[in-house]
Amino acid sequence: MFIKITPFDTLFFRTGRPFSGGEDTWVDTVFPPFPSTLYGAIRSFLIFHMGTIEDFKVGRFKEIIGTPTEKGRMKLKGPFLHKKGDIFLRSPRDIVRVNNKGELEPLKLLKKANLFISNYGLEDILVWPKEDTVDESTGFIDMIEFIDYLKNKKETYYEAKKEEIYVWEYKVGIARNKATGTSNEGYLYRMPLTRFLGDVNIVVKVEGVNDFPIEGVIQLGGESKAAKFEETDVHQLEELVNIDLNFSEGFFKVYLATPAIFENGWLPKWIDEETLDGEFEGVKLKLIACAIGRSIPIGGWDMARKSPKPMRRAVPAGSVYYFQIVDNNSATGIKEAFHLKNISDLLPEEGFGLAILGEVKL
């Protein structure tokens, strides 16, 4: 089922970057939140909805939400930004903003051998073929534009700027001495909070949980603020599920709607580091190019153990991988293997590495 999460107030989502009181004065934030943030919030809600933390520790709900040391069958897909019935996704990193305008144009896929000689390992490279100034997009595109992008229907795409979806509101605080209640000198800090604009909310798909409540309240974000959730229908995602894609030219691309944690850094474990050949769910392929962003640190807090989770580096959302089909797999087989599946090597059940397929035209 899909649930729509709407906060009552501002929210705070920390990055994985450590914050040391007295040394740092700025607390980093991230938006949209990492899938693990939603997974933890929903899992915590279910623990107390179904019983107690002690029940969770002894494995009473093991099959559904697991135990402190293992996961149950609950899985997430998302999160997605949602506004007035429209879904917004992070702009793909193989389309760029031209001349600092609100329009995006695609990079061109070219053979590396035609451009330069270097230790760059992939066969092809994505380049900007014109003389205009371009910048990486930092905004979002709506589902209509996104589906056109997946099918390579246009040369120009409209970007929704983040200011149309949320704004930062800054909070200044200072650490206090717990014994005296007085402030600690040198512990002043500033943190940005996320304020959703208009009818913006977060949509996530929850799988593997029978009889999930149709509405309720969860605690979300770094300050455990309240947000309401309710069951919803997302027709645009159904359109994405049923999209008709053509891979007749022998290539396809994988867009990451959520960050992915791969064992080999930027490279999935099912891709050979030397040959770049690989096989995923029976689909034989070869990685030929990619457009990925700088890695992001992902950590978190383990409520049951009351300790930090391991810090991991992730490929950011919006990254795109280009593949060549090695054998005669049908388009249906490729779609069944990748499309709207969590392909992260680590923590896929939490929603990391949600893949969406697109066409490649040479």
Side-chain angles (χ1 to χ4, degrees):
M1 65 179 287
F2 285 98
I3 61 171
K4 178 174 66 176
I5 301 172
T6 306
F8 295 114
D9 197 359
T10 56
L11 294 175
F12 173 59
F13 302 110
R14 276 193 60 181
T15 67
R17 180 178 177 269
F19 175 77
S20 300
E23 298 179 9
D24 299 319
T25 58
W26 181 266
V27 185
D28 287 340
T29 189
V30 63
F31 189 80
F34 297 139
S36 52
T37 301
L38 275 298
Y39 185 89
I42 294 171
R43 197 184 193 198
S44 297
F45 166 80
L46 288 174
I47 290 172
F48 295 104
H49 174 73
M50 301 166 66
T52 67
I53 190 69
E54 293 303 321
D55 293 328
F56 171 62
K57 288 181 177 180
V58 299
R60 181 181 170 191
F61 323 121
K62 181 178 180 179
E63 291 186 3
I64 302 174
I65 56 176
T67 68
T69 58
E70 58 183 296
K71 302 288 178 59
R73 64 171 181 261
M74 186 183 83
K75 297 180 181 179
L76 295 191
K77 287 184 179 176
F80 305 96
L81 296 181
H82 181 258
K83 181 179 181 180
K84 296 181 179 179
D86 202 355
I87 291 292
F88 290 83
L89 299 104
R90 171 66 169 79
S91 297
R93 297 179 188 270
D94 61 343
I95 56 177
V96 292
R97 187 190 303 122
V98 183
N99 293 329
N100 202 29
K101 297 179 180 179
E103 294 181 343
L104 305 174
E105 295 186 29
L107 299 174
K108 187 174 180 59
L109 188 67
L110 296 176
K111 287 292 181 184
K112 176 192 66 174
N114 297 334
L115 299 174
F116 56 81
I117 298 175
S118 77
N119 61 355
Y120 174 80
L122 303 179
E123 289 186 359
D124 298 344
I125 188 170
L126 291 159
V127 299
W128 176 246
K130 305 176 185 178
E131 295 183 357
D132 306 81
T133 301
V134 296
D135 295 296
E136 180 184 1
S137 167
T138 58
F140 304 87
I141 62 175
D142 64 27
M143 186 58 72
I144 295 176
E145 292 286 287
F146 185 64
I147 288 179
D148 285 344
Y149 157 80
L150 295 178
K151 295 183 69 65
N152 277 290
K153 281 190 173 182
K154 301 189 299 185
E155 289 297 322
T156 302
Y157 302 93
Y158 173 73
E159 175 188 33
K161 297 185 181 300
K162 61 184 182 181
E163 290 80 7
E164 300 176 36
I165 299 174
Y166 68 95
V167 294
W168 300 125
E169 293 185 3
Y170 298 98
K171 171 184 175 181
V172 176
I174 191 167
R176 288 185 176 183
N177 186 305
K178 293 182 180 180
T180 64
T182 58
S183 59
N184 290 335
E185 184 177 352
Y187 281 77
L188 190 70
Y189 65 89
R190 186 185 187 201
M191 58 189 293
L193 307 175
T194 305
R195 169 78 67 183
F196 288 23
L197 297 180
D199 296 327
V200 174
N201 45 61
I202 294 172
V203 168
V204 64
K205 186 177 183 181
V206 182
E207 299 178 340
V209 181
N210 298 328
D211 301 321
F212 193 93
I214 61 173
E215 61 181 4
V217 175
I218 62 174
Q219 291 182 314
L220 187 62
E223 295 186 314
S224 298
K225 289 187 176 180
K228 69 175 181 179
F229 72 85
E230 55 188 322
E231 185 177 5
T232 187
D233 292 322
V234 187
H235 300 294
Q236 284 194 330
L237 290 177
E238 294 177 4
E239 184 179 355
L240 187 61
V241 171
N242 299 318
I243 187 173
D244 183 26
L245 298 170
N246 182 2
F247 305 133
S248 60
E249 294 190 27
F251 301 88
F252 69 96
K253 61 184 174 183
V254 171
Y255 163 91
L256 294 178
T258 60
I261 307 172
F262 296 128
E263 290 186 2
N264 298 321
W266 66 276
L267 194 66
K269 67 178 181 181
W270 37 270
I271 297 292
D272 185 273
E273 296 183 67
E274 298 295 330
T275 65
L276 299 179
D277 292 320
E279 182 174 348
F280 184 80
E281 299 293 329
V283 177
K284 295 182 179 180
L285 42 77
K286 183 180 182 67
L287 179 64
I288 59 170
C290 59
I292 59 178
R294 180 179 298 177
S295 65
I296 52 177
I298 293 180
W301 182 260
D302 191 314
M303 185 181 68
R305 295 189 179 94
K306 297 183 179 180
S307 63
K309 294 180 180 178
M311 189 68 67
R312 298 181 172 95
R313 308 296 295 188
V315 177
S319 298
V320 184
Y321 291 79
Y322 283 66
F323 294 99
Q324 179 180 0
I325 304 170
V326 173
D327 59 13
N328 295 322
N329 287 289
S330 66
T332 302
I334 296 171
K335 189 175 179 181
E336 288 178 353
F338 285 97
H339 194 52
L340 291 173
K341 303 291 178 62
N342 294 332
I343 65 170
S344 177
D345 292 342
L346 301 175
L347 306 179
E349 68 282 349
E350 295 189 8
F352 285 102
L354 180 60
I356 300 176
L357 289 185
E359 298 179 3
V360 174
K361 294 183 180 179
L362 303 178

